[in-house]
Amino acid sequence: MAATEELDTLPGVGPATAEKLRDAGYDSFASIAVASPGELSNTADVGESNASDIIRAARDAADVGGFETGSDVLERRAEIGKATWNVPAVDEMLGGGVETQSITEVYGEFGTGKSQITHQLSVNAQLPREYGGLEGGVLFVDSEDTFRPERIDDMVRGLEDDAKRAGMDSHGVETEDELIEAMLDQIHVAKAFNSNHQMLLAEKANELAKEYADSEWPIRMVCVDSLTAHFRAEYVGRGELAERQQKLNKHLHDLVRLGSLHNAAVVVTNQVQSNPDSYFGDPTKPIGGNILGHASTFRIYLRQSKGEKRVVRLVDAPNLADGEAVMRVTGDGLKPE
Protein backbone atom coordinates (compact mmCIF):
# COMPACT_ATOMS: atom_id res chain seq x y z
CA MET A 1 0.00 0.00 0.00
CA ALA A 2 2.97 2.30 -0.34
CA ALA A 3 1.56 3.80 -3.52
CA THR A 4 -1.53 4.90 -1.59
CA GLU A 5 0.56 6.98 0.80
CA GLU A 6 2.60 8.57 -2.00
CA LEU A 7 -0.14 10.02 -4.21
CA ASP A 8 0.76 13.52 -3.09
CA THR A 9 4.21 13.05 -4.66
CA LEU A 10 2.60 13.34 -8.11
CA PRO A 11 2.90 16.83 -9.66
CA GLY A 12 -0.27 18.82 -9.00
CA VAL A 13 -1.46 16.52 -6.21
CA GLY A 14 -1.39 18.01 -2.74
CA PRO A 15 -2.74 16.40 0.43
CA ALA A 16 -6.32 17.61 -0.25
CA THR A 17 -6.36 16.31 -3.85
CA ALA A 18 -4.73 13.05 -2.74
CA GLU A 19 -7.56 12.58 -0.24
CA LYS A 20 -10.17 13.23 -2.94
CA LEU A 21 -8.49 10.68 -5.21
CA ARG A 22 -8.46 8.07 -2.46
CA ASP A 23 -12.11 8.76 -1.63
CA ALA A 24 -12.94 8.22 -5.32
CA GLY A 25 -11.15 4.86 -5.30
CA TYR A 26 -7.87 5.95 -6.92
CA ASP A 27 -5.41 4.74 -4.31
CA SER A 28 -2.50 3.64 -6.51
CA PHE A 29 -0.47 5.04 -9.39
CA ALA A 30 -1.74 2.22 -11.63
CA SER A 31 -5.42 3.01 -11.01
CA ILE A 32 -4.84 6.66 -11.89
CA ALA A 33 -2.69 5.79 -14.92
CA VAL A 34 -5.52 3.88 -16.65
CA ALA A 35 -8.19 6.53 -15.95
CA SER A 36 -9.35 9.10 -18.51
CA PRO A 37 -9.03 12.85 -17.76
CA GLY A 38 -12.82 13.30 -17.85
CA GLU A 39 -13.36 10.37 -15.53
CA LEU A 40 -10.77 11.60 -13.05
CA SER A 41 -12.09 15.15 -13.24
CA ASN A 42 -15.69 14.09 -12.53
CA THR A 43 -15.03 11.59 -9.76
CA ALA A 44 -12.17 13.33 -7.95
CA ASP A 45 -13.34 16.93 -8.45
CA VAL A 46 -10.19 18.22 -10.15
CA GLY A 47 -9.92 20.29 -13.33
CA GLU A 48 -9.63 18.32 -16.56
CA SER A 49 -6.32 19.91 -17.49
CA ASN A 50 -4.93 19.13 -14.05
CA ALA A 51 -6.34 15.60 -14.35
CA SER A 52 -4.40 15.07 -17.60
CA ASP A 53 -1.15 16.13 -15.91
CA ILE A 54 -1.83 13.84 -12.95
CA ILE A 55 -2.55 10.88 -15.24
CA ARG A 56 0.60 11.52 -17.27
CA ALA A 57 2.71 11.62 -14.10
CA ALA A 58 1.02 8.47 -12.76
CA ARG A 59 1.80 6.63 -16.00
CA ASP A 60 5.46 7.53 -15.65
CA ALA A 61 5.48 6.49 -11.99
CA ALA A 62 3.67 3.21 -12.63
CA ASP A 63 5.58 2.55 -15.86
CA VAL A 64 2.43 1.95 -17.93
CA GLY A 65 1.24 3.33 -21.22
CA GLY A 66 4.50 2.91 -23.14
CA PHE A 67 5.61 0.43 -25.78
CA GLU A 68 6.99 -2.98 -24.89
CA THR A 69 8.42 -5.85 -26.89
CA GLY A 70 6.48 -8.91 -27.94
CA SER A 71 8.65 -10.93 -25.55
CA ASP A 72 7.54 -8.67 -22.69
CA VAL A 73 3.91 -9.22 -23.64
CA LEU A 74 4.47 -12.98 -23.79
CA GLU A 75 6.05 -12.92 -20.33
CA ARG A 76 3.14 -10.90 -18.92
CA ARG A 77 0.63 -13.27 -20.51
CA ALA A 78 2.30 -16.11 -18.63
CA GLU A 79 0.51 -14.75 -15.54
CA ILE A 80 -2.90 -15.32 -17.15
CA GLY A 81 -4.97 -18.06 -15.55
CA LYS A 82 -7.71 -20.15 -17.14
CA ALA A 83 -10.79 -21.49 -15.39
CA THR A 84 -12.30 -24.76 -16.57
CA TRP A 85 -15.95 -25.23 -17.59
CA ASN A 86 -15.80 -28.89 -16.47
CA VAL A 87 -16.36 -29.73 -20.16
CA PRO A 88 -13.14 -30.76 -21.97
CA ALA A 89 -14.53 -30.00 -25.44
CA VAL A 90 -15.44 -26.44 -24.42
CA ASP A 91 -12.13 -25.89 -22.60
CA GLU A 92 -10.23 -27.06 -25.67
CA MET A 93 -12.24 -24.72 -27.91
CA LEU A 94 -11.40 -21.83 -25.55
CA GLY A 95 -7.70 -22.63 -25.44
CA GLY A 96 -7.85 -23.98 -21.90
CA GLY A 97 -10.85 -22.24 -20.35
CA VAL A 98 -12.00 -18.76 -19.34
CA GLU A 99 -9.06 -16.33 -19.35
CA THR A 100 -8.18 -13.81 -16.68
CA GLN A 101 -7.53 -10.19 -17.75
CA SER A 102 -10.29 -10.57 -20.35
CA ILE A 103 -14.05 -10.20 -20.73
CA THR A 104 -15.88 -13.35 -21.79
CA GLU A 105 -19.43 -12.70 -22.97
CA VAL A 106 -21.95 -15.54 -22.97
CA TYR A 107 -25.19 -14.79 -24.79
CA GLY A 108 -28.28 -16.79 -25.69
CA GLU A 109 -32.02 -17.04 -25.33
CA PHE A 110 -33.83 -17.53 -22.03
CA GLY A 111 -33.32 -21.01 -20.58
CA THR A 112 -30.14 -21.89 -22.49
CA GLY A 113 -28.01 -22.07 -19.33
CA LYS A 114 -26.21 -18.73 -19.08
CA SER A 115 -26.70 -18.51 -15.31
CA GLN A 116 -25.65 -22.14 -14.93
CA ILE A 117 -22.30 -21.20 -16.44
CA THR A 118 -21.72 -18.32 -14.01
CA HIS A 119 -22.56 -20.59 -11.08
CA GLN A 120 -20.25 -23.35 -12.32
CA LEU A 121 -17.39 -20.92 -12.89
CA SER A 122 -17.93 -19.48 -9.40
CA VAL A 123 -17.16 -22.96 -8.06
CA ASN A 124 -14.38 -23.85 -10.48
CA ALA A 125 -12.50 -20.58 -9.96
CA GLN A 126 -11.84 -21.62 -6.36
CA LEU A 127 -10.14 -24.90 -7.27
CA PRO A 128 -6.34 -25.31 -7.42
CA ARG A 129 -4.80 -24.49 -10.80
CA GLU A 130 -3.90 -28.11 -11.53
CA TYR A 131 -7.65 -28.86 -11.47
CA GLY A 132 -8.60 -25.99 -13.76
CA GLY A 133 -9.12 -23.36 -11.06
CA LEU A 134 -7.78 -19.89 -10.36
CA GLU A 135 -7.24 -20.33 -6.61
CA GLY A 136 -9.27 -17.22 -5.85
CA GLY A 137 -12.55 -15.73 -4.73
CA VAL A 138 -15.49 -14.56 -6.83
CA LEU A 139 -17.52 -11.37 -7.18
CA PHE A 140 -21.05 -11.96 -8.47
CA VAL A 141 -23.16 -9.00 -9.64
CA ASP A 142 -26.74 -10.25 -9.86
CA SER A 143 -29.08 -8.05 -11.91
CA GLU A 144 -31.85 -10.60 -12.58
CA ASP A 145 -32.14 -12.36 -9.22
CA THR A 146 -30.44 -15.44 -10.64
CA PHE A 147 -27.89 -16.32 -7.94
CA ARG A 148 -28.89 -19.39 -5.97
CA PRO A 149 -26.63 -20.77 -3.21
CA GLU A 150 -28.49 -24.07 -3.54
CA ARG A 151 -27.12 -24.36 -7.08
CA ILE A 152 -23.59 -23.88 -5.77
CA ASP A 153 -24.33 -26.72 -3.34
CA ASP A 154 -25.37 -28.98 -6.25
CA MET A 155 -22.29 -28.13 -8.30
CA VAL A 156 -19.81 -28.66 -5.46
CA ARG A 157 -21.34 -32.07 -4.83
CA GLY A 158 -21.12 -32.75 -8.57
CA LEU A 159 -17.35 -32.15 -8.77
CA GLU A 160 -15.09 -35.07 -9.65
CA ASP A 161 -13.77 -36.76 -6.52
CA ASP A 162 -10.14 -35.72 -7.05
CA ALA A 163 -11.09 -32.08 -7.74
CA LYS A 164 -13.36 -32.09 -4.71
CA ARG A 165 -10.60 -33.46 -2.48
CA ALA A 166 -8.17 -30.84 -3.83
CA GLY A 167 -10.76 -28.17 -3.08
CA MET A 168 -11.11 -29.43 0.48
CA ASP A 169 -7.33 -29.30 0.93
CA SER A 170 -7.00 -25.78 -0.46
CA HIS A 171 -9.91 -24.50 1.67
CA GLY A 172 -8.63 -26.30 4.76
CA VAL A 173 -11.78 -28.38 5.32
CA GLU A 174 -12.44 -32.10 5.66
CA THR A 175 -15.99 -32.77 4.51
CA GLU A 176 -18.15 -32.05 1.49
CA ASP A 177 -20.57 -29.95 3.54
CA GLU A 178 -17.70 -27.87 4.91
CA LEU A 179 -16.38 -27.34 1.37
CA ILE A 180 -19.78 -26.06 0.24
CA GLU A 181 -19.87 -23.57 3.09
CA ALA A 182 -16.26 -22.52 2.48
CA MET A 183 -16.88 -21.95 -1.23
CA LEU A 184 -20.03 -19.95 -0.57
CA ASP A 185 -18.00 -17.77 1.81
CA GLN A 186 -15.65 -16.88 -1.07
CA ILE A 187 -18.48 -15.81 -3.42
CA HIS A 188 -19.35 -12.16 -2.76
CA VAL A 189 -22.82 -11.42 -4.16
CA ALA A 190 -24.43 -8.03 -4.76
CA LYS A 191 -27.86 -7.51 -6.27
CA ALA A 192 -28.10 -4.65 -8.80
CA PHE A 193 -31.46 -2.85 -8.70
CA ASN A 194 -30.96 -0.63 -11.77
CA SER A 195 -28.26 0.29 -14.28
CA ASN A 196 -26.81 3.11 -12.15
CA HIS A 197 -26.58 0.80 -9.16
CA GLN A 198 -24.96 -1.86 -11.35
CA MET A 199 -22.31 0.63 -12.48
CA LEU A 200 -21.68 1.62 -8.87
CA LEU A 201 -21.23 -2.03 -7.93
CA ALA A 202 -18.49 -2.36 -10.55
CA GLU A 203 -16.65 0.47 -8.81
CA LYS A 204 -17.25 -1.13 -5.41
CA ALA A 205 -15.98 -4.41 -6.83
CA ASN A 206 -12.64 -2.77 -7.49
CA GLU A 207 -12.44 -1.67 -3.86
CA LEU A 208 -13.27 -5.18 -2.64
CA ALA A 209 -10.69 -6.70 -4.99
CA LYS A 210 -8.05 -4.35 -3.54
CA GLU A 211 -9.08 -5.35 -0.04
CA TYR A 212 -8.56 -9.04 -0.82
CA ALA A 213 -5.51 -8.60 -3.09
CA ASP A 214 -2.97 -9.75 -0.49
CA SER A 215 -5.23 -12.28 1.21
CA GLU A 216 -5.25 -16.06 0.88
CA TRP A 217 -8.22 -15.75 -1.51
CA PRO A 218 -7.68 -12.80 -3.90
CA ILE A 219 -10.52 -12.06 -6.30
CA ARG A 220 -9.92 -14.00 -9.52
CA MET A 221 -13.41 -14.18 -11.06
CA VAL A 222 -16.07 -11.51 -11.64
CA CYS A 223 -19.50 -12.61 -12.93
CA VAL A 224 -22.18 -10.16 -14.09
CA ASP A 225 -25.52 -11.87 -14.72
CA SER A 226 -26.83 -10.24 -16.73
CA LEU A 227 -24.84 -7.32 -18.08
CA THR A 228 -27.56 -5.77 -20.24
CA ALA A 229 -30.92 -6.48 -18.57
CA HIS A 230 -31.25 -3.15 -16.73
CA PHE A 231 -29.82 -1.09 -19.60
CA ARG A 232 -32.27 -2.73 -22.01
CA ALA A 233 -35.26 -2.13 -19.74
CA GLU A 234 -34.45 1.48 -18.79
CA TYR A 235 -33.37 2.88 -22.17
CA VAL A 236 -36.14 2.12 -24.62
CA GLY A 237 -36.33 3.40 -28.18
CA ARG A 238 -33.86 4.97 -30.59
CA GLY A 239 -33.98 8.32 -28.79
CA GLU A 240 -32.26 6.84 -25.74
CA LEU A 241 -29.91 4.49 -27.56
CA ALA A 242 -26.92 6.85 -27.54
CA GLU A 243 -27.16 7.46 -23.78
CA ARG A 244 -27.56 3.74 -23.12
CA GLN A 245 -24.48 2.88 -25.17
CA GLN A 246 -22.44 5.61 -23.51
CA LYS A 247 -23.26 4.28 -20.04
CA LEU A 248 -22.72 0.69 -21.11
CA ASN A 249 -19.32 1.67 -22.50
CA LYS A 250 -18.34 3.26 -19.16
CA HIS A 251 -19.52 0.16 -17.31
CA LEU A 252 -17.51 -2.14 -19.58
CA HIS A 253 -14.44 0.08 -19.19
CA ASP A 254 -14.67 -0.35 -15.40
CA LEU A 255 -14.97 -4.13 -15.78
CA VAL A 256 -12.00 -4.30 -18.17
CA ARG A 257 -9.89 -2.31 -15.74
CA LEU A 258 -11.01 -4.52 -12.84
CA GLY A 259 -9.94 -7.66 -14.67
CA SER A 260 -6.62 -6.20 -15.80
CA LEU A 261 -5.56 -4.71 -12.47
CA HIS A 262 -6.41 -7.81 -10.44
CA ASN A 263 -5.69 -10.60 -12.95
CA ALA A 264 -9.35 -11.64 -12.76
CA ALA A 265 -11.57 -13.31 -15.33
CA VAL A 266 -14.65 -11.22 -16.13
CA VAL A 267 -17.65 -13.25 -17.32
CA VAL A 268 -20.79 -11.42 -18.40
CA THR A 269 -24.05 -12.89 -19.65
CA ASN A 270 -26.08 -11.13 -22.28
CA GLN A 271 -29.59 -11.32 -23.66
CA VAL A 272 -30.50 -11.61 -27.33
CA GLN A 273 -33.02 -9.90 -29.55
CA SER A 274 -34.74 -10.95 -32.74
CA ASN A 275 -32.96 -9.93 -35.94
CA PRO A 276 -35.69 -9.59 -38.62
CA ASP A 277 -33.09 -8.94 -41.33
CA SER A 278 -31.72 -12.46 -41.00
CA TYR A 279 -33.07 -14.69 -43.77
CA PHE A 280 -30.61 -17.51 -43.14
CA GLY A 281 -29.13 -18.96 -39.98
CA ASP A 282 -30.09 -18.05 -36.43
CA PRO A 283 -32.46 -15.03 -36.27
CA THR A 284 -31.08 -13.72 -32.97
CA LYS A 285 -28.31 -11.29 -32.12
CA PRO A 286 -26.84 -10.11 -28.80
CA ILE A 287 -27.85 -6.87 -27.10
CA GLY A 288 -25.24 -4.14 -26.77
CA GLY A 289 -24.17 -3.59 -30.37
CA ASN A 290 -20.59 -2.78 -31.33
CA ILE A 291 -19.79 -1.35 -27.88
CA LEU A 292 -20.08 -4.78 -26.28
CA GLY A 293 -18.74 -6.58 -29.35
CA HIS A 294 -15.47 -4.65 -29.19
CA ALA A 295 -15.15 -4.84 -25.38
CA SER A 296 -15.62 -8.61 -25.21
CA THR A 297 -12.41 -10.56 -25.78
CA PHE A 298 -14.34 -13.81 -26.18
CA ARG A 299 -17.95 -14.04 -27.40
CA ILE A 300 -19.81 -17.29 -26.82
CA TYR A 301 -23.27 -18.11 -28.15
CA LEU A 302 -25.39 -20.70 -26.30
CA ARG A 303 -28.08 -22.56 -28.20
CA GLN A 304 -30.66 -25.05 -26.99
CA SER A 305 -30.35 -28.62 -28.23
CA LYS A 306 -32.17 -31.81 -27.28
CA GLY A 307 -33.06 -32.19 -23.63
CA GLU A 308 -30.25 -31.06 -21.35
CA LYS A 309 -27.78 -30.63 -24.21
CA ARG A 310 -26.54 -27.16 -25.21
CA VAL A 311 -24.47 -26.10 -28.21
CA VAL A 312 -21.63 -23.78 -27.19
CA ARG A 313 -20.37 -21.75 -30.13
CA LEU A 314 -17.24 -19.57 -30.02
CA VAL A 315 -18.20 -16.60 -32.16
CA ASP A 316 -15.19 -14.35 -31.68
CA ALA A 317 -11.73 -14.57 -30.08
CA PRO A 318 -8.45 -12.80 -30.87
CA ASN A 319 -6.30 -15.93 -31.14
CA LEU A 320 -8.70 -18.84 -31.57
CA ALA A 321 -10.68 -20.24 -34.48
CA ASP A 322 -14.47 -20.19 -34.35
CA GLY A 323 -15.89 -23.52 -33.29
CA GLU A 324 -18.67 -25.43 -31.57
CA ALA A 325 -18.87 -27.88 -28.71
CA VAL A 326 -21.72 -29.67 -26.97
CA MET A 327 -22.26 -29.83 -23.21
CA ARG A 328 -25.01 -30.93 -20.85
CA VAL A 329 -26.63 -28.82 -18.13
CA THR A 330 -27.44 -31.33 -15.38
CA GLY A 331 -28.49 -31.26 -11.77
CA ASP A 332 -24.81 -31.65 -10.85
CA GLY A 333 -23.67 -28.77 -13.07
CA LEU A 334 -22.06 -28.55 -16.49
CA LYS A 335 -20.97 -31.93 -17.87
CA PRO A 336 -19.50 -33.31 -21.11
CA GLU A 337 -21.85 -34.57 -23.81
Side-chain angles (χ1 to χ4, degrees):
M1 297 299 290
T4 302
E5 299 166 358
E6 298 170 1
L7 291 186
D8 54 8
T9 64
L10 293 173
V13 178
T17 302
E19 190 63 32
K20 288 179 182 178
L21 288 168
R22 281 192 287 267
D23 289 344
Y26 299 100
D27 60 359
S28 69
F29 293 145
S31 62
I32 296 172
V34 296
S36 68
E39 182 184 356
L40 202 67
S41 176
N42 290 334
T43 56
D45 192 24
V46 295
E48 194 154 334
S49 176
N50 191 26
S52 297
D53 293 338
I54 293 171
I55 290 169
R56 196 175 300 112
R59 287 175 179 170
D60 291 339
D63 194 23
V64 299
F67 287 94
E68 56 187 349
T69 68
S71 297
D72 291 334
V73 175
L74 182 62
E75 186 177 341
R76 182 161 44 81
R77 282 189 59 79
E79 301 175 1
I80 288 176
K82 301 199 177 188
T84 179
W85 280 47
N86 273 9
V87 183
V90 175
D91 289 339
E92 183 178 353
M93 182 176 68
L94 294 176
V98 177
E99 272 194 9
T100 60
Q101 301 182 33
S102 299
I103 288 186
T104 298
E105 174 199 358
V106 180
Y107 68 90
E109 293 182 320
F110 174 80
T112 50
K114 301 185 296 295
S115 296
Q116 303 300 317
I117 291 169
T118 56
H119 281 69
Q120 186 72 69
L121 289 172
S122 295
V123 170
N124 296 352
Q126 300 184 51
L127 294 174
R129 291 181 185 273
E130 57 266 35
Y131 291 93
L134 299 174
E135 299 178 359
V138 181
L139 299 181
F140 198 111
V141 178
D142 182 2
S143 71
E144 294 190 279
D145 193 27
T146 54
F147 181 78
R148 294 292 184 273
E150 298 87 352
R151 199 70 187 104
I152 299 296
D153 185 308
D154 295 337
M155 290 176 172
V156 173
R157 295 183 190 280
L159 289 171
E160 296 290 333
D161 288 343
D162 53 351
K164 192 183 299 182
R165 171 52 59 187
M168 290 178 190
D169 291 342
S170 63
H171 282 79
V173 298
E174 298 181 354
T175 68
E176 188 177 66
D177 287 342
E178 288 175 336
L179 178 61
I180 292 166
E181 184 177 353
M183 283 196 163
L184 282 170
D185 282 344
Q186 297 305 328
I187 303 174
H188 309 272
V189 185
K191 191 173 293 187
F193 296 102
N194 53 51
S195 62
N196 284 329
H197 186 220
Q198 184 172 323
M199 294 174 71
L200 176 64
L201 288 176
E203 297 173 11
K204 295 293 184 184
N206 190 46
E207 295 176 14
L208 193 62
K210 290 175 187 173
E211 182 181 330
Y212 280 85
D214 297 323
S215 71
E216 187 179 356
W217 290 97
I219 300 302
R220 289 287 181 258
M221 173 77 67
V222 180
C223 296
V224 184
D225 188 18
S226 94
L227 177 77
T228 51
H230 286 316
F231 292 92
R232 185 183 191 183
E234 294 166 24
Y235 297 91
V236 182
R238 287 189 174 274
E240 298 191 34
L241 181 61
E243 184 180 357
R244 183 190 82 176
Q245 293 302 89
Q246 186 177 19
K247 291 185 71 173
L248 186 58
N249 190 35
K250 167 67 167 62
H251 186 40
L252 286 164
H253 175 75
D254 289 341
L255 292 172
V256 167
R257 185 170 64 182
L258 177 64
S260 297
L261 289 177
H262 300 285
N263 193 21
V266 180
V267 179
V268 302
T269 67
N270 190 12
Q271 300 177 341
V272 295
Q273 63 184 3
S274 176
N275 181 12
D277 297 333
S278 177
Y279 295 103
F280 303 99
D282 199 301
T284 59
K285 65 177 182 179
I287 303 296
N290 291 333
I291 292 287
L292 184 49
H294 291 309
S296 299
T297 313
F298 302 91
R299 301 196 90 180
I300 296 170
Y301 176 39
L302 278 188
R303 193 171 74 245
Q304 182 84 37
S305 187
K306 292 182 179 179
E308 59 188 21
K309 290 184 179 180
R310 302 291 186 273
V311 176
V312 184
R313 182 182 173 199
L314 180 62
V315 176
D316 187 39
N319 60 331
L320 300 169
D322 295 353
E324 285 189 351
V326 178
M327 69 176 185
R328 295 180 299 122
V329 178
T330 75
D332 291 333
L334 307 185
K335 300 294 179 184
E337 181 182 6

